[in-house]
Structures are given as structure tokens and as C-alpha cells.
Amino acid sequence: MSYTDTKIFLDTNILAYIFDSRDIVKKNRAKEILTDLVINNVCTISTQVLQELFNVLTKKLKYSKEDAKKIITNLLNLNIHQVTVGDIQTAMEISINTQFTVYDSLIIAAAKAENCTIVYSEDLNSGQNVDGVRIENPFLV
């Protein structure tokens, strides 16, 4: 993919698959996605994604908290958006307009704040455009 003028925001679920051995196809695809985005310097996540990933790793995937902390620490070299009060206000408006949860809306708000044009997510409506941010499910072929 050509990334001219494109920045991509990763939802938590994309990163979680990298550490989930239950679905090897998605695990490998998630690794490819992250590697490609990092190589091309177009990957953005948020502090919310880091928090959610820690929770998924420890609760759903049964990693120890120490191992989850190491994983999160290794991701700190990515472009990370720190969620602000303004982002929360934007997320509430997005939630009202789309009926998304405020948490999903905060992903869109953080992407907008970082001028990302695409959010990769398995949980949101692939193909939908929200305030200039297109949602894509990178696992769909």
C-alpha cells in the first residue's frame, strides 16, 4: 500500500491479535500490519489503546501483569496520542452522532487529533467514514 499523506490509527484489537495464539492467521496478519506501518512511519495509537491492551493481555489472554507491562513498554516507541479532555468532548459528540460507544468514539477522536485518515479496527463498521476518518477492517480480504 502507498501511504502518501496517510496516517493510520490502530485500534486495540489489531494489536491484541499479535499476542493471541488462538487465531494464527489473524496473529500473522496483525504482525504484518504493524511491521508495515512502523517501517513506513505511519502508525499511531493512543494512551487508551495501551490501557485497553494491558487489560486484554492480562484478563482475556492470561498474560502475567509483568509480561503485559513488558509488551506495552516495547510499544512505547510508536507515535502515541495522549488522550485529552478535548478528545473526550469530541468522543461524546461522535457517540451521539453515530451511536458508537464513547470508548469506540474516543478511538476516532484520537485518530482525528493526530490527523489520521484511516482507523484499522475489527470492531467498528468497516467502510464507514466518521468525520473524515475512514474505518477499515484489515482482516477482510
Side-chain angles (χ1 to χ4, degrees), residues 23-107:
D23 188 330
I24 297 303
V25 172
K26 285 186 179 178
K27 178 184 180 98
N28 290 336
R29 178 69 180 123
K31 284 181 179 181
E32 290 172 6
I33 291 165
L34 182 61
T35 300
D36 185 45
L37 297 180
V38 168
I39 287 170
N40 287 286
N41 196 31
V42 295
C43 182
T44 300
I45 61 173
S46 67
T47 51
Q48 174 193 0
V49 169
L50 294 174
Q51 293 167 317
E52 289 178 356
L53 183 59
F54 184 86
N55 192 55
V56 168
L57 290 170
T58 57
K59 302 292 185 196
K60 183 176 180 182
L61 301 179
K62 304 301 182 194
Y63 280 76
S64 71
K65 288 184 178 185
E66 292 78 14
D67 287 342
K69 179 183 175 190
K70 289 176 189 173
I71 289 168
I72 300 299
T73 299
N74 286 331
L75 295 173
L76 296 180
N77 61 338
L78 297 176
N79 182 40
I80 300 172
H81 176 77
Q82 292 189 14
V83 173
T84 67
V85 171
D87 295 330
I88 294 168
Q89 291 172 316
T90 300
M92 290 185 290
E93 287 301 318
I94 291 170
S95 180
I96 290 166
N97 293 332
T98 64
Q99 301 306 306
F100 288 169
T101 68
V102 73
Y103 302 107
D104 288 340
S105 298
L106 191 53
I107 294 292

Side-chain angles (χ1 to χ4, degrees), residues 1-3 6-11 42 44 108 111 115-121 132-137:
M1 176 177 187
S2 174
Y3 296 105
T6 302
K7 289 176 66 179
I8 298 175
F9 193 98
L10 291 181
D11 197 352
V42 295
T44 300
I108 304 294
N115 298 310
C116 294
T117 54
I118 298 171
V119 170
Y120 279 172
S121 176
V133 178
R134 189 175 70 247
I135 299 164
E136 291 184 12
N137 181 341

